[in-house]
Amino acid sequence: MPELSFTVYQLLVFIHLLLFVLWLGADVGVFLLGQHFRKREKWTLPQRLALLQLLVNVDMVPRSAWALMVPLTLSMVDAGGWWDLPGAAIAGAWLLGGFWLWLVWDTHFHDQTPRAKRNNRVEFVLKIALTLFYLALGLVSLWKGQPLAPLWLASKAVMFGLIFAAAIMIDVAFKPVGPQLGRLIKEGSSDETEIPLRRTMDLTRIWVWVVYLLLLGTAFLGNIKPF
């Protein structure tokens, strides 16, 4: 029997790739379900609402992967020798990622409750803080050459921060959907209820595409390492 031999860094890279596939793959599923929800001429309202419920469930995959990406990325740069982080910082990152993951699922299980609204506010602040962290980390590294010396890695940190920023804009753009969807359910399908909802979803889709492009950009930098 041949001996198994791999490093912690190699294992973290494998998990990183797995989370990336789950994030982007499931997000494409969410996108396609959203596309079908928009087709009121093809599906009845009950069918469209069932598609929407399925969309919400599938969306838990990329949300979970995103939360775990934060501690994983910091663990990777440490294990790979790119940034020597103290053990307390790594442990803190995993606690933060675990807390974020709990927020995501607790909100899902308590949807449309004051508890979910509270969780959403906490998560929104957390996303802003992480946006600023990754942007600062990447920009400082590009400027000073440290703590992340490779240009590709510093650029990847900036792009990861931009993913956070774009995701925040998705949340902001999507906010009117709740009342608009409630009106659609209450009053039924008509131009008056459908068109405002469609406009909100169209605006949200712009930021979704931005996230997709940034995800592909980070994958390119991480695998090709062009500079």
Side-chain angles (χ1 to χ4, degrees):
M1 290 284 294
E3 270 190 35
L4 290 175
S5 177
F6 57 86
T7 65
V8 172
Y9 176 71
Q10 289 172 323
L11 179 61
L12 291 173
V13 169
F14 169 75
I15 298 172
H16 179 67
L17 291 173
L18 181 61
L19 288 180
F20 176 81
V21 170
L22 290 172
W23 184 349
L24 188 57
D27 225 328
V28 171
V30 170
F31 182 85
L32 292 175
L33 287 167
Q35 284 287 91
H36 281 282
F37 173 80
R38 293 148 54 93
K39 297 178 180 179
R40 59 171 169 151
E41 72 285 348
K42 183 175 182 180
W43 308 105
T44 65
L45 183 55
Q47 288 174 327
R48 292 168 64 207
L49 293 176
L51 287 172
L52 190 62
Q53 183 58 55
L54 182 58
L55 180 154
V56 170
N57 291 333
V58 174
D59 193 42
M60 293 305 296
V61 177
R63 287 181 178 274
S64 300
W66 187 17
L68 293 173
M69 276 290 193
V70 172
L72 187 63
T73 54
L74 294 177
S75 299
M76 283 176 60
V77 295
D78 178 67
W82 310 113
W83 187 12
D84 187 18
L85 287 167
I90 300 295
W94 280 102
L95 286 173
L96 182 65
F99 172 67
W100 188 5
L101 187 64
W102 175 83
L103 272 180
V104 166
W105 282 95
D106 191 61
T107 301
H108 179 68
F109 289 130
H110 298 89
D111 192 26
Q112 304 299 320
T113 66
R115 179 168 173 165
K117 291 180 180 178
R118 179 208 63 190
N119 288 349
N120 285 330
R121 289 194 297 268
V122 174
E123 187 181 4
F124 188 76
V125 172
L126 179 60
K127 287 177 182 177
I128 291 175
L130 288 170
T131 300
L132 296 174
F133 168 74
Y134 278 101
L135 288 176
L137 175 62
L139 291 173
V140 169
S141 298
L142 288 172
W143 181 34
K144 294 188 174 181
Q146 59 179 350
L148 304 178
L151 288 177
W152 66 267
L153 188 55
S155 301
K156 189 174 179 182
V158 172
M159 293 188 75
F160 199 45
L162 292 175
I163 288 173
F164 274 91
I168 289 172
M169 292 308 301
I170 290 175
D171 290 341
V172 171
F174 198 72
K175 194 171 182 179
V177 164
Q180 290 169 346
L181 185 61
R183 185 185 173 199
L184 172 64
I185 294 171
K186 182 179 179 180
E187 300 179 14
S189 179
S190 66
D191 286 347
E192 289 72 22
T193 57
E194 294 277 5
I195 292 176
L197 179 60
R198 176 68 177 262
R199 285 174 180 163
T200 299
M201 296 184 77
D202 286 344
L203 177 60
T204 304
R205 278 157 49 91
I206 295 172
W207 293 108
V208 170
W209 278 109
V210 171
V211 169
Y212 289 167
L213 292 174
L214 288 169
L215 276 173
L216 292 175
T218 58
F220 175 82
L221 290 174
N223 285 275
I224 305 301
K225 300 176 179 58
F227 40 76

